[in-house]
Amino acid sequence: MKKELELRLRDARNRLIREYLTEGRSAFYVSSGNSMWPLVQSDDACNFYPIQAVTAKDCIHAVQKEASEICKGDIVFCQVQPSQQYFAHIVLDVEESWYHNEPKYWIGNIQGYCNGWCLREHIFFILVGVQVSQDGHWHS
């Protein structure tokens, strides 16, 4: 029951984060889970910037990366295929896809578990900073 509630809340949070993209806003939220440990731990504050600068108003808070610049090891907020689930996970691999005629990004956790794949259009944000709470203050 508790896990089901956590998943519903996480899904609602992820949909709100996705909406920020359409407004060209950065997203700042406290992470949950340990799938990205030790880079990002549960309760770390994560700061994501829109990666698709064309959707950001006047390119404010946008990381301007071409598709070819999204690299293995980047932590991105994306909607993986075919499940359509949102994840803030690491790019495990980049492969040239003859079917899609563009790079295909394999997304998963830091332990190497693969959640699925994305095309460039499914990648919305890139992690630009992590802060840890200590003694009631956030530290980079």
Side-chain angles (χ1 to χ4, degrees):
M1 191 72 148
K2 184 178 177 184
K3 181 70 172 172
E4 184 179 310
L5 175 61
E6 179 184 342
L7 292 175
R8 279 199 324 263
L9 291 173
R10 189 180 298 180
D11 184 61
R13 175 199 67 193
N14 290 342
R15 291 182 188 284
L16 286 172
I17 291 169
R18 171 64 173 94
E19 287 178 23
Y20 274 36
L21 172 70
T22 61
E23 299 170 4
R25 297 166 54 187
S26 61
F28 182 82
Y29 71 91
V30 176
S31 67
S32 61
N34 291 306
S35 62
M36 295 303 296
W37 182 89
L39 296 179
V40 179
Q41 299 178 39
S42 189
D43 298 325
D44 284 355
C46 298
N47 195 8
F48 286 87
Y49 280 0
I51 196 166
Q52 295 174 320
V54 293
T55 63
K57 293 178 184 172
D58 301 319
C59 297
I60 296 172
H61 303 301
V63 175
Q64 297 181 15
K65 280 187 140 186
E66 298 296 324
S68 62
E69 292 182 42
I70 298 172
C71 303
K72 181 177 178 178
D74 283 345
I75 296 176
V76 297
F77 180 85
C78 59
Q79 187 176 29
V80 298
Q81 308 303 310
S83 71
Q84 301 291 311
Q85 288 183 294
Y86 291 97
F87 286 96
H89 271 178
I90 198 164
V91 176
L92 297 172
D93 200 10
V94 181
E95 89 178 33
E96 291 301 319
S97 173
W98 60 269
Y99 181 75
H100 297 288
N101 202 25
E102 64 178 298
K104 191 175 193 180
Y105 303 92
W106 292 94
I107 307 297
N109 66 25
I110 204 160
Q111 291 81 25
Y113 175 81
C114 185
N115 299 106
W117 55 271
C118 295
L119 298 178
R120 180 68 173 78
E121 68 193 66
H122 305 119
I123 298 175
F124 308 113
F125 291 94
I126 187 165
L127 182 68
V128 294
V130 177
Q131 296 180 348
V132 178
S133 178
Q134 189 175 36
D135 301 326
H137 300 285
W138 293 103
H139 302 277
S140 295

